[in-house]
Amino acid sequence: MDDFVNLYQYHLAWLIYFLSGGVFSLAWWRLTSGVKNVGWRDLVRGMALVFIFTPWYVSDAQEHAAPAIVVVVMDLFLGSTDNGLSGVICLLSVTAIMLVWLLGKRLFVRNHDD
């Protein structure tokens, strides 16, 4: 069993992270269901998903990835800026894609709740 864990610890860590991120996302969906304005509700939900599930590379070798927000915060604390800046650009890109998707949803879906 120890050999299995040592061999697959990176994959097991991501599996645990995705499962806990899924549980948090479900709880966040439930918590934000009281927001009456569909636009704000979708924006808050989308931002949570972007921050939780956007990965980025930990090092320049691009062997391992971590959540981009963790990479950015760790690089800020440690004083390194290479991966942190790339992580911020990745987060901004995914946020822009999410905003375009929400705008398209808002423009092309006619049955609004608000």
Side-chain angles (χ1 to χ4, degrees):
M1 184 67 176
D2 290 336
D3 293 334
F4 178 79
V5 171
N6 288 333
L7 186 60
Y8 296 108
Q9 70 182 12
Y10 176 72
H11 301 291
L12 289 172
W14 269 109
L15 177 68
I16 292 169
Y17 182 79
F18 278 129
L19 290 175
S20 60
V23 169
F24 178 79
S25 296
L26 289 174
W28 188 249
W29 240 255
R30 179 87 171 142
L31 185 67
T32 59
S33 64
V35 177
K36 299 298 181 201
N37 188 318
V38 176
W40 283 110
R41 183 176 61 221
D42 288 347
L43 180 65
V44 170
R45 288 176 175 177
M47 291 303 294
L49 290 177
V50 165
F51 284 134
I52 292 171
F53 293 112
T54 302
W56 193 248
Y57 297 109
V58 176
S59 66
D60 292 333
Q62 298 183 351
E63 294 176 359
H64 299 293
I69 193 73
V70 173
V71 172
V72 170
V73 170
M74 289 302 294
D75 280 354
L76 285 174
F77 283 148
L78 298 176
S80 174
T81 58
D82 296 336
N83 291 329
L85 182 60
S86 299
V88 167
I89 291 171
C90 177
L91 281 172
L92 288 175
S93 300
V94 174
T95 302
I97 292 169
M98 185 258 318
L99 289 173
V100 167
W101 180 75
L102 288 177
L103 183 62
K105 178 182 169 187
R106 187 78 171 166
L107 292 175
F108 295 120
V109 176
R110 294 290 177 204
N111 51 357
H112 300 295
D113 293 339
D114 54 359

